[in-house]
mmCIF file of all heavy atoms in Angstrom:
data_model
loop_
_atom_site.group_PDB
_atom_site.id
_atom_site.type_symbol
_atom_site.label_atom_id
_atom_site.label_comp_id
_atom_site.label_asym_id
_atom_site.label_seq_id
_atom_site.Cartn_x
_atom_site.Cartn_y
_atom_site.Cartn_z
ATOM 1 N N HIS A 310 9.859 -6.299 -28.565
ATOM 2 C CA HIS A 310 9.593 -6.043 -27.075
ATOM 3 C C HIS A 310 9.618 -4.564 -26.688
ATOM 4 O O HIS A 310 9.265 -4.252 -25.669
ATOM 5 C CB HIS A 310 10.404 -6.939 -26.247
ATOM 6 C CG HIS A 310 11.811 -6.465 -26.005
ATOM 7 N ND1 HIS A 310 12.843 -6.505 -26.999
ATOM 8 C CD2 HIS A 310 12.399 -5.854 -24.974
ATOM 9 C CE1 HIS A 310 13.925 -5.996 -26.506
ATOM 10 N NE2 HIS A 310 13.662 -5.594 -25.219
ATOM 11 N N LYS A 311 10.322 -3.811 -27.589
ATOM 12 C CA LYS A 311 10.306 -2.305 -27.196
ATOM 13 C C LYS A 311 9.581 -1.490 -28.119
ATOM 14 O O LYS A 311 9.563 -0.191 -28.024
ATOM 15 C CB LYS A 311 11.851 -1.773 -27.165
ATOM 16 C CG LYS A 311 12.571 -2.214 -25.843
ATOM 17 C CD LYS A 311 13.725 -1.438 -25.753
ATOM 18 C CE LYS A 311 14.032 -1.247 -24.283
ATOM 19 N NZ LYS A 311 15.258 -0.431 -23.972
ATOM 20 N N ASP A 312 8.809 -2.039 -29.050
ATOM 21 C CA ASP A 312 8.125 -1.250 -30.126
ATOM 22 C C ASP A 312 6.786 -0.645 -29.592
ATOM 23 O O ASP A 312 6.061 -1.384 -28.854
ATOM 24 C CB ASP A 312 7.881 -2.094 -31.316
ATOM 25 C CG ASP A 312 9.255 -2.418 -32.024
ATOM 26 O OD1 ASP A 312 10.211 -1.517 -31.826
ATOM 27 O OD2 ASP A 312 9.291 -3.469 -32.707
ATOM 28 N N TRP A 313 6.507 0.602 -30.019
ATOM 29 C CA TRP A 313 5.258 1.228 -29.647
ATOM 30 C C TRP A 313 4.151 0.464 -30.351
ATOM 31 O O TRP A 313 4.205 0.196 -31.540
ATOM 32 C CB TRP A 313 5.349 2.624 -30.106
ATOM 33 C CG TRP A 313 4.242 3.552 -29.842
ATOM 34 C CD1 TRP A 313 3.439 3.634 -28.680
ATOM 35 C CD2 TRP A 313 3.615 4.493 -30.781
ATOM 36 N NE1 TRP A 313 2.469 4.526 -28.817
ATOM 37 C CE2 TRP A 313 2.615 4.996 -30.141
ATOM 38 C CE3 TRP A 313 3.909 4.752 -32.134
ATOM 39 C CZ2 TRP A 313 1.753 6.047 -30.704
ATOM 40 C CZ3 TRP A 313 3.086 5.758 -32.759
ATOM 41 C CH2 TRP A 313 2.029 6.361 -32.095
ATOM 42 N N GLY A 314 2.968 0.276 -29.650
ATOM 43 C CA GLY A 314 1.885 -0.341 -30.252
ATOM 44 C C GLY A 314 1.008 0.627 -31.108
ATOM 45 O O GLY A 314 -0.006 0.108 -31.592
ATOM 46 N N GLY A 315 1.337 1.845 -31.097
ATOM 47 C CA GLY A 315 0.424 2.815 -31.761
ATOM 48 C C GLY A 315 -0.657 3.508 -31.025
ATOM 49 O O GLY A 315 -1.387 4.292 -31.586
ATOM 50 N N GLN A 316 -0.795 3.239 -29.719
ATOM 51 C CA GLN A 316 -1.867 3.857 -28.923
ATOM 52 C C GLN A 316 -1.533 5.336 -28.686
ATOM 53 O O GLN A 316 -0.380 5.668 -28.611
ATOM 54 C CB GLN A 316 -1.959 3.180 -27.579
ATOM 55 C CG GLN A 316 -2.575 1.853 -27.549
ATOM 56 C CD GLN A 316 -1.561 0.694 -27.948
ATOM 57 O OE1 GLN A 316 -0.353 0.961 -28.101
ATOM 58 N NE2 GLN A 316 -2.085 -0.506 -28.072
ATOM 59 N N LYS A 317 -2.553 6.160 -28.557
ATOM 60 C CA LYS A 317 -2.436 7.462 -28.072
ATOM 61 C C LYS A 317 -2.901 7.386 -26.627
ATOM 62 O O LYS A 317 -3.870 6.777 -26.204
ATOM 63 C CB LYS A 317 -3.268 8.409 -28.895
ATOM 64 C CG LYS A 317 -2.814 8.331 -30.308
ATOM 65 C CD LYS A 317 -3.168 9.682 -30.984
ATOM 66 C CE LYS A 317 -2.202 9.787 -32.297
ATOM 67 N NZ LYS A 317 -2.340 10.970 -32.985
ATOM 68 N N PHE A 318 -2.225 8.261 -25.734
ATOM 69 C CA PHE A 318 -2.525 8.337 -24.382
ATOM 70 C C PHE A 318 -2.973 9.591 -23.813
ATOM 71 O O PHE A 318 -2.417 10.645 -24.129
ATOM 72 C CB PHE A 318 -1.270 7.727 -23.575
ATOM 73 C CG PHE A 318 -0.909 6.367 -23.616
ATOM 74 C CD1 PHE A 318 0.059 6.004 -24.552
ATOM 75 C CD2 PHE A 318 -1.576 5.360 -22.847
ATOM 76 C CE1 PHE A 318 0.445 4.650 -24.751
ATOM 77 C CE2 PHE A 318 -1.121 4.069 -23.027
ATOM 78 C CZ PHE A 318 -0.212 3.674 -23.945
ATOM 79 N N VAL A 319 -4.058 9.549 -22.962
ATOM 80 C CA VAL A 319 -4.328 10.637 -22.067
ATOM 81 C C VAL A 319 -3.794 10.112 -20.697
ATOM 82 O O VAL A 319 -4.107 8.978 -20.421
ATOM 83 C CB VAL A 319 -5.976 10.774 -21.915
ATOM 84 C CG1 VAL A 319 -6.224 11.877 -20.937
ATOM 85 C CG2 VAL A 319 -6.523 11.012 -23.377
ATOM 86 N N GLN A 320 -3.191 10.997 -19.949
ATOM 87 C CA GLN A 320 -2.655 10.604 -18.642
ATOM 88 C C GLN A 320 -3.048 11.626 -17.606
ATOM 89 O O GLN A 320 -2.590 12.785 -17.701
ATOM 90 C CB GLN A 320 -1.234 10.344 -18.629
ATOM 91 C CG GLN A 320 -0.724 9.893 -17.216
ATOM 92 C CD GLN A 320 0.660 9.184 -17.175
ATOM 93 O OE1 GLN A 320 1.490 9.558 -18.006
ATOM 94 N NE2 GLN A 320 0.861 8.209 -16.406
ATOM 95 N N ILE A 321 -3.880 11.251 -16.673
ATOM 96 C CA ILE A 321 -4.253 12.067 -15.495
ATOM 97 C C ILE A 321 -3.350 11.783 -14.407
ATOM 98 O O ILE A 321 -3.149 10.605 -13.923
ATOM 99 C CB ILE A 321 -5.788 11.777 -15.057
ATOM 100 C CG1 ILE A 321 -6.664 12.070 -16.170
ATOM 101 C CG2 ILE A 321 -6.048 12.680 -13.765
ATOM 102 C CD1 ILE A 321 -8.115 11.929 -15.745
ATOM 103 N N ASP A 322 -2.516 12.734 -14.002
ATOM 104 C CA ASP A 322 -1.599 12.486 -12.854
ATOM 105 C C ASP A 322 -1.268 13.801 -12.105
ATOM 106 O O ASP A 322 -1.212 14.848 -12.739
ATOM 107 C CB ASP A 322 -0.316 11.841 -13.391
ATOM 108 C CG ASP A 322 0.334 10.996 -12.236
ATOM 109 O OD1 ASP A 322 0.921 11.620 -11.307
ATOM 110 O OD2 ASP A 322 0.366 9.790 -12.364
ATOM 111 N N ILE A 323 -1.066 13.721 -10.835
ATOM 112 C CA ILE A 323 -0.709 14.919 -10.088
ATOM 113 C C ILE A 323 0.744 15.278 -10.263
ATOM 114 O O ILE A 323 1.045 16.416 -9.999
ATOM 115 C CB ILE A 323 -1.093 14.668 -8.614
ATOM 116 C CG1 ILE A 323 -1.227 15.999 -7.912
ATOM 117 C CG2 ILE A 323 -0.094 13.775 -7.946
ATOM 118 C CD1 ILE A 323 -2.098 15.966 -6.720
ATOM 119 N N SER A 324 1.543 14.381 -10.798
ATOM 120 C CA SER A 324 2.996 14.642 -11.032
ATOM 121 C C SER A 324 3.209 15.207 -12.466
ATOM 122 O O SER A 324 2.968 14.332 -13.347
ATOM 123 C CB SER A 324 3.810 13.507 -10.735
ATOM 124 O OG SER A 324 5.125 13.779 -11.267
ATOM 125 N N PRO A 325 3.561 16.467 -12.731
ATOM 126 C CA PRO A 325 3.767 16.893 -14.065
ATOM 127 C C PRO A 325 4.936 16.129 -14.812
ATOM 128 O O PRO A 325 5.002 16.227 -15.966
ATOM 129 C CB PRO A 325 4.052 18.374 -13.871
ATOM 130 C CG PRO A 325 4.402 18.474 -12.486
ATOM 131 C CD PRO A 325 3.872 17.474 -11.610
ATOM 132 N N GLN A 326 5.780 15.508 -14.017
ATOM 133 C CA GLN A 326 6.916 14.779 -14.603
ATOM 134 C C GLN A 326 6.618 13.467 -15.066
ATOM 135 O O GLN A 326 7.458 12.772 -15.715
ATOM 136 C CB GLN A 326 8.098 14.724 -13.571
ATOM 137 C CG GLN A 326 8.646 16.092 -13.180
ATOM 138 C CD GLN A 326 9.647 15.833 -12.083
ATOM 139 O OE1 GLN A 326 10.614 15.270 -12.273
ATOM 140 N NE2 GLN A 326 9.466 16.472 -10.918
ATOM 141 N N GLU A 327 5.398 12.964 -14.739
ATOM 142 C CA GLU A 327 5.172 11.470 -15.066
ATOM 143 C C GLU A 327 4.978 11.282 -16.630
ATOM 144 O O GLU A 327 5.417 10.308 -17.147
ATOM 145 C CB GLU A 327 3.855 11.000 -14.261
ATOM 146 C CG GLU A 327 3.586 9.565 -14.448
ATOM 147 C CD GLU A 327 4.858 8.789 -14.076
ATOM 148 O OE1 GLU A 327 5.571 9.002 -13.115
ATOM 149 O OE2 GLU A 327 5.069 7.646 -14.760
ATOM 150 N N ALA A 328 4.351 12.332 -17.263
ATOM 151 C CA ALA A 328 4.022 12.135 -18.672
ATOM 152 C C ALA A 328 5.317 11.946 -19.448
ATOM 153 O O ALA A 328 6.444 12.459 -19.084
ATOM 154 C CB ALA A 328 3.289 13.369 -19.205
#
Side-chain angles (χ1 to χ4, degrees):
H310 81 286
K311 282 197 150 184
D312 293 333
W313 179 47
Q316 287 83 3
K317 300 209 160 182
F318 288 96
V319 177
Q320 183 162 32
I321 299 181
D322 205 289
I323 200 151
S324 166
Q326 296 174 58
E327 187 53 40

